[in-house]
Amino acid sequence: MSITKTDLSHSKRIWLSGLICAVLLSACSDDDEADNPPAAGDEYQIWASDQSNSVADADGPGTKGSYLWIWNSEDMETQIAGGDDAIPVGCLPADDESVAVPAGPCDLLDVFPQELVEIDANGNPTGQTLADLNGFGRLHGMLADPQDRYVTASIFAPGGGFVGVIDTRTREAISLFRVTGTNVGDGTDVRSVHMSDWTTDGNAILVANLNGKVLERIDATRDAEGKITDIVFNRSASLGVGKGQVVTTSATTFSGNNAFGNPLLGSVGGDYANADFADLTPGGVCKENGCDGTDGALGGRPNNVIICPISSTGGNSYVTLGGGGLIIANTQSTPMSIVGEYGNQSVNGAGCGGIQTGDTVWINAGVSASAAGATQSVFTMYTFNDSDFQDVSNPQNTPAPMLLYKDEGNTATGGNETGVESNDSGQLPDATTRRDSHGMAPTVDGRYVHTVDRIRNVVEVFDSTEFNRTTYDLTSEDGRGNGEGPCLARSITDDAGLPQNDPAPDLVENTPDGKYLLIAFRGPSPVSVNHSAQGSCPGAGVVELTDDGAYGRLVTVLNTRNSVDTSAVSAPGGHAYSGTERSDVHGVISVRMP
């Protein structure tokens, strides 16, 4: 059968989170169902994004290829029960007709064949294939559409700017785009894709062109069964959030056959002349500080690299920014338009956790991904009412967000004025006092919101109705400090000095049955945010929810491994790892099967 929006029984957003993240809430399992394994027909898969290279001798960490890991939920349940480890499935046609699906993981360079031809906005070949272009690597995250029919693939290698779409049923590529290049920092072709998210109706993809400082939109047309029949990069929808911006390179798409011999979909439409690359917001202040105008109040927005676009059911995107502040965009207008704007003292920087429960949108703040983040410690949570931003342009910093939680140890960074000067305690788990709020996910009934601390290996849980907070850890057997958790037994052991039992959690999502949270666990050779993300048991952590969702405990880790990658290792403030493991999972999601 085909899955439609009305069939959904779980919240389908992180991320992201982990990736982030927004959540579409629908019918929820009752408590009895949450205590039992999924019924027949309720199987799902776990999809994990591994940032490490899938080739040796690449130009650096996360620069060429990547691995996509996929496991079946019944195999995960077997592993949890003490049986055989779950085996990942592949993304290529089986060579042996007796084998239904080959073993994984999937190589990003196979999913998107390197002979794909780049096509310009006029429908003509540019003369380059995918193999000719730099930056096709670092699978930073995937998010499923509300129908669980497709996932986006955000490919974050420096200078690349690629975003793809993969069919969850066949695990084959259906489209690939390269985003807009701009003149940010006096460049001539500045672009990258940090994360991409679906609108909550599944009819568009919102792309965070981080370095290019553009929120971009890809419009999808579907048939009655939810299959995408056309997909267009809409240049007219673009919303630039930098200053003095000029488009230097148009978006492109790619043509050719995928690994199954099926042709890719996709074209580039619209016109940048109709887009919004103006310096000022509707309120008449600089989108980004330092434009030829007045900076925004309460710190304004000093550096608008886009971190995560968080989709809401009201048709908005909550756009988190590296230097702090927040832009709320109406994603249904063309071009997309600003309906809310905040300075970095209102909403601190580097947030990449966001979800929605009812009308409430949850946004966090964490440490910078730049080198400055090595001495930062930030764990902050805000909430907004999405109904305040419907078809109106609000005055700056109005209405004020609810500051739900701010850790007393937060540093004076990203717009936070009350924090300590700095925190140089590193990231070693037995020594650090730093914090880094990141991925976020709700329970399927929306009652509790779980947010991970990437450094301290704990999860802060907020009651969405009473706003009480509870905490559990990812290192003990019960999540309350008793016994050794499963990360210890599944840690990398080829370097005696590497701290063990160090999950380093990142993006997070719930499972359709409401039993678990899936959390990306980073590796000993972190590709991104390496000052906050070194861990010992790379893979997908599985947390069993307890106390009706107010707590949890780690019950297993679906391990990932990569010794193909030979790139150099660096983890400031961590351990100088000397081993060969390079797997580094940044995002993990659940995808319900038909």
Side-chain angles (χ1 to χ4, degrees):
M1 75 175 190
S2 49
I3 299 176
T4 66
K5 184 176 179 180
T6 55
D7 292 323
L8 295 178
S9 63
H10 71 294
S11 306
K12 279 305 303 170
R13 289 287 179 267
I14 55 175
W15 277 182
L16 218 166
S17 164
L19 136 125
I20 87 74
C21 332
V23 168
L24 176 64
L25 294 175
S26 54
C28 303
S29 303
D30 60 32
D31 290 341
D32 290 337
E33 289 172 339
D35 291 335
N36 294 305
D42 285 341
E43 290 83 7
Y44 58 93
Q45 290 185 328
I46 301 94
W47 289 47
S49 310
D50 189 337
Q51 299 188 106
S52 58
N53 296 318
S54 54
V55 299
D57 302 320
D59 291 337
T63 57
K64 186 69 172 179
S66 268
Y67 286 113
L68 161 58
W69 298 78
I70 303 173
W71 301 270
N72 292 316
S73 59
E74 57 267 38
D75 295 336
M76 179 194 75
E77 292 279 6
T78 297
Q79 178 175 320
I80 292 171
D84 293 339
D85 281 2
I87 302 297
V89 299
C91 298
L92 295 177
D95 293 331
D96 185 346
E97 293 183 358
S98 66
V99 177
V101 179
C106 312
D107 189 334
L108 189 70
L109 302 179
D110 292 332
V111 177
F112 295 95
Q114 296 300 283
E115 60 268 22
L116 293 174
V117 175
E118 187 180 34
I119 303 295
D120 66 19
N122 297 317
N124 299 317
T126 66
Q128 298 186 101
T129 66
L130 188 55
D132 297 325
L133 301 171
N134 294 325
F136 193 75
R138 192 181 302 187
L139 183 58
H140 200 58
M142 295 173 289
L143 287 176
D145 64 359
Q147 296 85 357
D148 278 7
R149 183 70 182 266
Y150 302 97
V151 300
T152 62
S154 299
I155 300 162
F156 188 40
F162 298 93
V163 57
V165 180
I166 301 172
D167 188 317
T168 60
R169 301 181 182 187
T170 61
R171 298 172 300 284
E172 64 183 296
I174 72 152
S175 62
L176 180 66
F177 297 92
R178 198 175 188 201
V179 299
T180 306
T182 71
N183 64 331
V184 171
D186 297 323
T188 57
D189 186 23
V190 181
R191 53 186 164 185
S192 65
V193 172
H194 184 255
M195 290 296 290
S196 52
D197 188 19
W198 298 87
T199 54
T200 56
D201 59 8
N203 290 331
I205 299 168
L206 305 176
V207 184
N209 184 341
L210 182 145
N211 291 111
K213 298 186 178 180
V214 190
L215 180 67
E216 312 207 63
R217 194 178 77 206
I218 300 169
D219 297 331
T221 301
R222 297 176 184 254
D223 65 17
E225 294 185 351
K227 180 180 179 181
I228 291 178
T229 57
D230 192 25
I231 187 164
V232 181
F233 193 108
N234 188 345
R235 296 181 297 175
S236 295
S238 304
L239 174 62
V241 297
K243 54 181 178 288
Q245 283 189 283
V246 175
V247 172
T248 58
T249 310
S250 173
T252 57
T253 187
F254 290 81
S255 70
N257 292 336
N258 63 25
F260 287 78
N262 297 319
L264 266 60
L265 296 172
S267 61
V268 176
D271 192 323
Y272 292 120
N274 300 322
D276 179 5
F277 283 95
D279 280 354
L280 303 182
T281 70
V285 300
C286 290
K287 292 177 181 174
E288 183 178 58
N289 291 358
C291 80
D292 187 13
T294 302
D295 290 348
L298 295 180
R301 291 167 291 275
N303 184 11
N304 288 356
V305 289
I306 297 178
I307 308 300
C308 288
I310 313 300
S311 296
S312 78
T313 55
N316 294 321
S317 179
Y318 290 69
V319 182
T320 62
L321 304 169
L326 182 76
I327 287 175
I328 302 173
N330 175 359
T331 65
Q332 298 174 319
S333 64
T334 300
M336 293 181 283
S337 56
I338 295 174
V339 295
E341 54 170 304
Y342 292 83
N344 70 356
Q345 293 166 23
S346 290
V347 181
N348 300 157
C352 192
I355 58 97
Q356 183 176 357
T357 58
D359 190 45
T360 302
V361 175
W362 302 64
I363 299 291
N364 67 6
V367 305
S368 172
S370 73
T375 58
Q376 293 177 15
S377 180
V378 187
F379 198 115
T380 310
M381 180 74 81
Y382 306 93
T383 60
F384 296 82
N385 292 324
D386 193 44
S387 58
D388 291 333
F389 305 97
Q390 300 304 306
D391 301 320
V392 294
S393 179
N394 289 275
Q396 56 180 324
N397 302 303
T398 304
M402 176 185 289
L403 175 58
L404 191 60
Y405 176 72
K406 178 176 285 191
D407 179 64
E408 293 180 357
N410 276 12
T411 52
T413 54
N416 180 38
E417 293 189 310
T418 60
V420 299
E421 187 63 26
S422 65
N423 184 328
D424 60 359
S425 64
Q427 61 173 312
L428 292 175
D430 59 346
T432 187
T433 59
R434 297 172 63 224
R435 303 203 69 179
D436 182 8
S437 176
H438 209 60
M440 188 189 310
T443 52
V444 292
D445 60 4
R447 176 64 187 275
Y448 295 100
V449 176
H450 293 239
T451 303
V452 308
D453 185 329
R454 194 155 45 181
I455 300 175
R456 299 286 286 276
N457 293 322
V458 299
V459 181
E460 302 288 1
V461 185
F462 299 87
D463 186 314
S464 67
T465 57
E466 300 176 2
F467 299 113
N468 299 323
R469 179 174 60 89
T470 55
T471 306
Y472 63 92
D473 67 67
L474 298 171
T475 54
S476 68
E477 183 179 12
D478 64 357
R480 314 287 182 96
N482 301 306
E484 298 287 359
C487 176
L488 178 64
R490 293 180 174 271
S491 287
I492 302 300
T493 59
D494 63 354
D495 180 342
L498 179 71
Q500 303 291 280
N501 199 18
D502 183 12
D506 210 289
L507 299 182
V508 54
E509 187 174 278
N510 55 44
T511 60
D513 55 16
K515 291 176 61 177
Y516 305 110
L517 293 181
L518 303 170
I519 306 180
F521 284 175
R522 307 293 296 273
S525 312
V527 173
S528 60
V529 196
N530 58 354
H531 50 256
S532 293
Q534 188 177 44
S536 68
C537 53
V542 184
V543 169
E544 181 183 47
L545 293 170
T546 62
D547 298 80
D548 296 321
Y551 288 90
R553 66 185 188 99
L554 183 67
V555 291
T556 198
V557 180
L558 304 175
N559 282 136
T560 57
R561 296 290 184 263
N562 178 9
S563 58
V564 172
D565 188 354
T566 57
S567 58
V569 177
S570 175
H575 174 68
Y577 176 63
S578 62
T580 61
E581 184 55 59
R582 295 294 182 269
S583 182
D584 183 37
V585 174
H586 180 266
V588 60
I589 61 172
S590 62
V591 175
R592 171 167 281 181
M593 295 290 99

